[in-house]
């Protein structure tokens, strides 16, 4: 089968198209024909071995796939790797049937980015109706869905932060009440101004560095900042514990794999609600580009440039 393999760590240039033997599933696993593979920002970290979990070479990247089982059923699944390929092994415990009315591309937008937005709002930030919500990287895979979900969950005001006029227009189209340029010289002041002079209740942040520090200072008493990525590749300043008490604020971290450690089928709940919202037309997924498998490097370059919108996917069938 054709697959993208990494044999040395580095930038997009280490993604190499090659021929590999078909993966062999264990007795409890499924081998599927991959119709689409999701590209995540975390994949760019894995390629350079700077992600939360260390990688081992050689590897086939890709943690999410949509495809068909031997009986023809469509599924979307999270994997421990191997997604950038024509075939992949999936564990039924992290696979979900794709319902009618939901495309493979939409399903891929939901299984990581959609679930992340859902968990951030429902679990990490515990957003309440009427609260103000800031969504950084609002035109990205998580951001486009978080803007919509925050409104659907009853947010009083959604403030979208994005890097270009086109991205900010998209955020407004998706339901944001106000937009902020991600290059604002003082993010604290910009967020408070966008919230009509009031401090904000919830911030969803995957940028890091200065953006995180200045967003934290924009929180209202009992405000929450949920941190789930480091796109700027800058480490935020250490959080000073006395300041959390002084301003009654909360900083939460979120990594999606930990959802499986919670009691109950939280991921299943998220996927069921997200699938229903998409099928009913209440939630719109944004596909920012579909690249042939051989163009995985271009997909990573586009993602790292932070010039993309929505969900990027690879098509192993061409």
């Amino acid at each position: 089968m054709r697959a993208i393999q990494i044999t040395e760590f580095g930038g997009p240039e280490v993604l190499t198209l090659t021929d590999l033997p078909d993966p062999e599933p264990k007795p409890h696993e499924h081998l599927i024909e991959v119709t689409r593979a999701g590209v995540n920002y975390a994949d760019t970290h894995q390629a350079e071995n700077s992600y939360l979990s260390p990688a081992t070479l050689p590897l086939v990247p890709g943690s999410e796939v949509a495809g068909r089982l031997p009986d023809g059923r469509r599924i979307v699944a999270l994997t421990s790797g191997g997604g950038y390929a024509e075939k992949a092994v999936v564990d039924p415990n992290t696979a979900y049937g794709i319902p009618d009315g939901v495309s493979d591309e939409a399903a891929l937008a939901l299984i990581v980015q959609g679930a992340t937005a859902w968990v951030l709002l429902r679990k990490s930030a515990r957003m309440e109706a009427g609260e103000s919500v800031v969504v950084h990287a609002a035109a990205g895979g998580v951001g486009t869905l978080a803007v919509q979900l925050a409104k659907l969950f009853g947010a009083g005001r959604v403030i979208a932060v994005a890097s270009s006029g086109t991205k900010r227009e998209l955020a407004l189209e998706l339901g944001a009440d106000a937009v902020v340029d991600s290059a604002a010289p003082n993010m604290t002041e910009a967020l408070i101004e966008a919230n009509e002079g009031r401090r904000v209740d919830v911030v969803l942040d995957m940028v890091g560095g200065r953006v995180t520090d200045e967003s934290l200072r924009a929180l209202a008493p009992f405000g929450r900042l949920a941190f789930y990525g480091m796109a700027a590749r800058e480490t935020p300043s250490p959080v000073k514990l006395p300041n959390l008490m002084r301003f009654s604020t909360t900083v939460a971290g979120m990594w999606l794999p930990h959802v499986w450690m919670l009691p109950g089928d939280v991921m299943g709940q998220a996927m069921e609600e997200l699938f229903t919202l998409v099928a009913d037309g209440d939630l719109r997924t944004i596909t920012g580009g579909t690249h042939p498998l051989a163009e995985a490097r271009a997909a990573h370059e586009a993602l790292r440039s932070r010039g993309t919108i929505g969900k990027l996917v690879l098509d192993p069938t061409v």
Side-chain angles (χ1 to χ4, degrees):
M1 68 170 187
R2 294 183 310 140
I4 297 295
Q5 189 179 54
I6 297 174
T7 57
E8 61 179 325
F9 294 121
E13 73 281 354
V14 304
L15 303 176
T16 302
L17 183 68
T18 188
D19 287 310
L20 295 175
D22 291 354
E24 296 185 7
K26 297 176 182 177
H28 70 284
E29 296 175 329
H30 297 309
L31 180 65
I32 69 166
E33 297 281 346
V34 179
T35 55
R36 296 290 187 275
V39 181
N40 288 310
Y41 205 87
D43 298 346
T44 71
H45 282 286
Q46 186 186 49
E48 61 186 20
N49 202 24
S50 62
Y51 198 48
L52 294 176
S53 53
T56 302
L57 297 175
L59 67 89
V60 174
S63 61
E64 55 182 44
V65 292
R68 292 188 179 276
L69 294 167
D71 62 9
R73 284 180 295 158
R74 293 191 303 138
I75 64 168
V76 63
L78 294 175
T79 73
S80 58
Y84 290 13
E86 292 179 313
K87 296 181 181 180
V89 169
V90 302
D91 184 335
N93 294 316
T94 58
Y96 305 88
I98 303 175
D100 293 339
V102 178
S103 68
D104 289 356
E105 290 84 357
L108 279 174
L110 297 178
I111 193 157
V112 170
Q113 280 85 4
T116 294
W118 190 97
V119 172
L120 285 167
L121 291 166
R122 293 286 202 205
K123 297 291 184 181
S124 301
R126 299 187 181 274
M127 190 208 88
E128 297 181 5
E131 290 189 316
S132 56
V133 177
V134 173
V135 180
H136 285 291
V142 175
T144 53
L145 295 167
V147 166
Q148 297 174 78
L149 289 175
K151 294 298 288 187
L152 289 168
F153 295 166
R157 189 169 179 83
V158 174
I159 300 161
V161 184
S163 61
S164 71
T166 299
K167 290 182 176 183
R168 293 190 288 274
E169 288 175 8
L170 173 62
L172 291 170
E173 182 184 336
L174 294 175
D177 298 288
V179 292
V180 170
D181 189 340
S182 61
N186 187 317
M187 187 59 67
T188 303
E189 293 180 358
L191 294 181
I192 293 173
E193 180 180 354
N195 199 35
E196 299 178 320
R198 300 183 299 274
R199 292 181 174 272
V200 300
D201 299 305
V202 171
V203 174
L204 307 185
D205 174 30
M206 56 83 66
V207 180
R210 176 186 71 88
V211 168
T212 302
D213 296 336
E214 295 182 1
S215 296
L216 185 59
R217 290 196 286 272
L219 288 176
F222 296 100
R224 289 88 68 203
L225 184 146
F227 184 73
Y228 67 101
M230 296 172 285
R233 285 174 162 79
E234 299 173 3
T235 303
S237 301
V239 174
K240 296 180 180 180
L241 297 181
N243 284 342
L244 298 182
M245 184 172 65
R246 179 183 177 190
F247 298 106
S248 296
T249 51
T250 297
V251 177
M254 201 284 284
W255 190 32
L256 192 62
H258 290 146
V259 170
W260 277 269
M261 298 180 183
L262 295 174
D265 185 10
V266 174
M267 186 68 177
Q269 296 171 29
M271 293 305 295
E272 182 178 2
E273 182 172 4
L274 293 168
F275 278 145
T276 299
L277 289 170
V278 170
D280 290 347
D282 296 322
L283 181 66
R284 175 184 166 195
T285 61
I286 306 294
T287 301
T290 300
H291 295 261
L293 182 65
E295 296 180 7
R297 291 183 184 183
H300 274 226
E301 288 167 354
L303 202 57
R304 290 185 61 145
S305 74
R306 299 182 66 187
T308 62
I309 63 169
K311 180 68 180 175
L312 294 186
V313 299
L314 298 177
D315 182 353
T317 68
V318 296

